[in-house]
Amino acid sequence: MPWHQFHVKMTENSLSPAAITDNLETRFIGQRVIYYPRLTSTMDVAKRKAKQGAIEGTVVLAGEQTAGRGRMKRAWLSPKGNIALSIILRPSSAYLSSLIMVASLATVHCIEKVSGLKSQIKWPNDVLVNEKKVCGILTESDVRGNIVDYAIIGIGINVNLRLSEFPEISPTATSLSHELGRDVSRLDMIRCLLVEAERLYLALPAGESVYQEWRDRLVTLGKKVQVRSGEATYRGIAESVASDGSLLLRQSDGSLTKIVAGDVTLRQ
Ligand code: BTN
């Protein structure tokens, strides 16, 4: 067996909280990992744990999800071999809108570091490899007035997903193993994600660097796009993004529209 296959097999067998937290170079993110071989959605369990007072940085990790959730109330396919995790944070409200930047940048950095593949971000926070979606990110929070009780970052990465078994997503989605032609260590990916997420999260108070890097990594900017946001559909050029993460769309009548949430399709 070639070394990399042996290494993946060995590390995959040890996808346990202890293996993840062992000498993990973080102060709080991932210092507590709660692992479920199978659950409905890590978002639901993380929400429950957060309400019960779980400390900041607690991670809920699933072997597989039976009711994974995506943005816009969509389902998220989450079979074995992928990464599905949620991180509980307790940020100040000023940083809530930056969490999607933290999560998508951490994912891009770790895909490059662990697999060597180049990846890009499609606004607001889809991560693409070779123009296909490899990761989805969902953030949810409980805010009262200006006080954040908790925020949860959910990250789903198609790591060792056999696309031939899921023809319903194969036109638009890919996985790291599909792109590489070999399996990738989920343990290495998870440990990297926790370290990177914490580094970027702690960088938020220092200024605009996270926003600037996220903006520079967006494949969407300067492109002709169609954006579906609620009931509305907008067309135009994705001109820029604001520091709160919203998209600034230049429409054909010259107007600039600020879109807070939506789904982007690149047009020819
Ligand atoms: C999207 O692109 O629509 C977002 C998908 C987010 C999926 C992740 S997997 C871990 C966490 N648990 C969920 O149920 N959803 C998120």
Side-chain angles (χ1 to χ4, degrees):
M1 183 187 290
W3 165 246
H4 61 78
Q5 279 176 21
F6 171 72
H7 182 68
V8 166
K9 209 167 180 6
M10 194 180 75
T11 51
E12 289 307 284
N13 286 341
S14 49
L15 191 58
S16 65
I20 292 165
T21 56
D22 183 36
N23 284 320
L24 186 72
E25 289 182 349
T26 63
R27 283 184 0 215
F28 54 98
I29 293 188
Q31 290 300 324
R32 179 169 183 231
V33 175
I34 311 170
Y35 175 74
Y36 295 80
R38 190 179 158 97
L39 50 51
T40 52
S41 160
T42 57
M43 298 307 279
D44 298 340
V45 175
K47 193 185 280 186
R48 203 171 67 229
K49 300 282 177 194
K51 282 184 195 298
Q52 290 166 352
I55 54 165
E56 180 166 52
T58 300
V59 170
V60 175
L61 173 70
E64 63 183 308
Q65 298 184 115
T66 54
R69 295 196 268 112
R71 292 169 60 239
M72 318 278 190
K73 300 201 171 118
R74 282 186 294 244
W76 178 260
L77 193 70
S78 197
K80 283 183 195 157
N82 277 357
I83 288 175
L85 61 82
S86 293
I87 306 171
I88 299 171
L89 296 173
R90 303 201 186 264
S92 107
S93 60
Y95 304 128
L96 272 183
S97 61
S98 304
L99 297 182
I100 59 163
M101 304 175 198
V102 166
S104 47
L105 277 179
T107 305
V108 160
H109 291 165
C110 292
I111 287 176
E112 286 180 10
K113 192 167 169 201
V114 175
S115 75
L117 290 164
K118 286 264 166 290
S119 58
Q120 291 169 310
I121 305 170
K122 189 177 86 157
W123 183 87
N125 51 11
D126 287 351
V127 178
L128 313 181
V129 171
N130 292 329
E131 291 167 25
K132 289 189 166 183
K133 181 160 169 170
V134 78
C135 165
I137 289 157
L138 188 65
T139 58
E140 293 177 349
S141 55
D142 186 344
V143 186
R144 291 176 201 180
N146 206 23
I147 305 295
V148 180
D149 182 17
Y150 62 81
I152 297 170
I153 298 180
I155 304 177
I157 309 180
N158 298 337
V159 182
N160 298 321
L161 184 77
R162 307 269 169 265
L163 279 160
S164 54
E165 292 168 22
F166 301 96
E168 67 276 29
I169 61 162
S170 61
T172 53
T174 190
S175 67
L176 299 180
S177 62
H178 184 80
E179 296 298 323
L180 273 180
R182 63 170 168 87
D183 278 358
V184 170
S185 163
R186 286 181 303 158
L187 181 62
D188 290 351
M189 272 300 292
I190 291 168
R191 285 171 57 91
C192 179
L193 277 175
L194 301 176
V195 171
E196 273 301 287
E198 181 173 289
R199 189 181 67 75
L200 293 160
Y201 181 60
L202 292 177
L204 290 176
E208 299 220 310
S209 63
V210 173
Y211 156 66
Q212 279 161 3
E213 195 196 339
W214 173 73
R215 186 189 61 196
D216 293 347
R217 289 274 193 163
L218 286 173
V219 67
T220 321
L221 296 190
K223 301 262 168 65
K224 267 185 163 179
V225 294
Q226 172 171 303
V227 189
R228 279 192 20 239
S229 178
E231 297 294 295
T233 301
Y234 304 90
R235 287 185 189 81
I237 309 274
E239 191 164 291
S240 186
V241 279
S243 58
D244 67 359
S246 50
L247 180 69
L248 302 174
L249 185 77
R250 182 73 66 184
Q251 292 181 272
S252 54
D253 63 1
S255 63
L256 197 61
T257 305
K258 184 169 172 156
I259 302 172
V260 176
D263 255 341
V264 165
T265 318
L266 301 179
R267 292 157 64 214
Q268 290 310 314

